[in-house]
Amino acid sequence: MPSLQSYHTFGLTSSSQQLAVFSSPDECRRAYSRATRNWVLGGGSNTLFLDDYDGQVLINQITGITHHETSAGHRLRVGAGENWHELVTTCLQQGWHGMENLALIPGSVGASPIQNIGAYGVEVKSFIEQVEGVHLDTWQPFTLSREECQFGYRDSIFKHALAGKVLISYVTFLLPTPARAETSYGELARLNAPTPAAIYDEVIRVRRAKLPDPAELGNAGSFFKNPVISNAHFQTLKARYDAVPGFAVDESHTKVPAAWLIDRLGFKGKTHHGVRCHPTQPLVLTNLGHARGEDVTSLAKAIIVAVNETFNIQLEPEVRLVGREGLVHL
């Protein structure tokens, strides 16, 4: 049975019945037909195989970047199998600016619309013009506009109505000109000259200081979403915990950093068998090298229960957990 350990960044010891790599939708279709159960995987940075997968894992390696400059900005059609950080780096080097805040986010381009990835005040939905792919039941192609993708906070139609039903092949981005620098969030606010290169460098510096490198310490990035709660709920928390941070989402909702909630409850640095809540960023769970799937779910559930009981907030995993037959829900 092929090992999956090197195909997902958390690095649990797991395997699948079959493993195939494809570089086009047609190649995926041919491989897909050989198994009764399939799981399509990109960079594996947001997927955690808790157990051996009883089916075939298909690795998306559709690549290529096509660039057109228009009056509105730089339009890029990018293969879903391209590495996300390498795309951001290429854009910076070519003078196609705007996505610097999203540097060093692990994973593939095809995963970016699924998660609506974001960092430092910027979400990828701001740049996505359309998403192309095929339906896995009929193999008919589709193209969805930004609006049709139904983007939300770390959310999209690909996690709901189209979850597990489509293959994303290409994503088209539009980077407007002139680019607008977003430096209101965190450490970026301290930049004296917020050029695109300065933003890119600072984001990488901060991420490397706070987050473990998956190549050195297995992890899937942020394990939990930052919860969005009502303003009334936030004010109740603020009355009890004056230091609780919050960021306005809209007129009636506030986003609370999950890391603060987890840290407040004393989980930061705690180890459960082979899994540790990272000492510098408690939003990240790490594989110390000998973790098992049950260790991950046990620690994650303990955090979810404690946060709910103390703050009346239900944390949701950002990472996709996969068991023997598919998605696992905590």
Side-chain angles (χ1 to χ4, degrees), residues 82-264:
E82 292 281 355
N83 177 273
W84 175 260
H85 175 64
E86 290 178 8
L87 171 65
V88 174
T89 302
T90 296
C91 288
L92 179 70
Q93 293 170 343
Q94 295 295 326
W96 311 332
H97 298 145
M99 297 200 296
E100 295 79 22
N101 299 55
L102 306 179
L104 213 62
I105 294 178
S108 64
V109 167
S112 66
I114 297 175
Q115 285 294 110
N116 183 23
I117 60 173
Y120 300 98
V122 172
E123 290 182 319
V124 75
K125 71 176 183 181
S126 301
F127 305 105
I128 290 179
E129 193 170 65
Q130 66 180 33
V131 176
E132 301 171 54
V134 294
H135 292 276
L136 293 173
D137 55 350
T138 64
W139 295 97
Q140 292 299 306
F142 70 84
T143 300
L144 295 180
S145 67
R146 177 188 303 169
E147 292 72 25
E148 290 171 323
C149 288
Q150 299 176 18
F151 290 123
Y153 172 64
R154 301 296 179 269
D155 205 11
S156 70
I157 193 172
F158 305 108
K159 299 180 80 172
H160 298 284
L162 297 182
K165 298 179 180 179
V166 298
L167 162 70
I168 293 175
S169 54
Y170 290 92
V171 182
T172 298
F173 303 92
L174 180 63
L175 278 58
T177 50
R180 186 179 73 87
E182 173 55 66
T183 59
S184 62
Y185 194 98
E187 292 86 345
L188 298 185
R190 295 198 293 267
L191 290 176
N192 293 322
T195 64
I199 293 171
Y200 173 89
D201 290 342
E202 181 66 4
V203 167
I204 290 177
R205 184 193 70 78
V206 173
R207 290 185 70 92
R208 284 179 172 162
K210 290 184 177 181
L211 303 174
D213 184 349
E216 299 175 0
L217 187 64
N219 71 89
S222 297
F223 196 93
F224 299 103
K225 297 179 184 179
N226 288 316
V228 176
I229 61 178
S230 69
N231 289 345
H233 189 176
F234 179 70
Q235 291 305 319
T236 299
L237 287 180
K238 196 74 173 172
R240 292 175 55 198
Y241 309 98
D242 183 61
V244 60
F247 303 91
V249 174
D250 53 39
E251 293 182 355
S252 55
H253 293 87
T254 299
K255 180 169 66 177
V256 178
W260 187 91
L261 303 173
I262 297 168
D263 187 10
R264 177 82 187 190

Side-chain angles (χ1 to χ4, degrees), residues 6-71:
S6 63
Y7 289 99
H8 69 299
T9 59
F10 205 89
L12 291 181
T13 302
S14 55
S15 60
S16 62
Q17 294 292 332
Q18 296 169 271
L19 184 69
V21 175
F22 65 89
S23 57
S24 71
D26 284 341
E27 285 186 10
C28 180
R29 180 178 185 173
R30 289 193 291 270
Y32 201 90
S33 64
R34 296 198 295 262
T36 56
R37 180 179 288 121
N38 291 278
W39 185 271
V40 180
L41 191 66
S45 63
N46 199 54
T47 300
L48 200 160
F49 288 95
L50 299 170
D51 206 338
D52 293 338
Y53 180 64
D54 189 17
Q56 178 178 230
V57 171
L58 299 160
I59 310 299
N60 189 339
Q61 290 190 356
I62 299 174
T63 58
I65 301 174
T66 303
H67 168 258
H68 295 287
E69 188 169 1
T70 72
S71 59

Side-chain angles (χ1 to χ4, degrees), residues 304-317:
I304 290 172
V305 169
V307 168
N308 191 29
E309 289 179 346
T310 304
F311 303 108
N312 193 26
I313 291 176
Q314 184 68 35
L315 288 185
E316 297 180 21

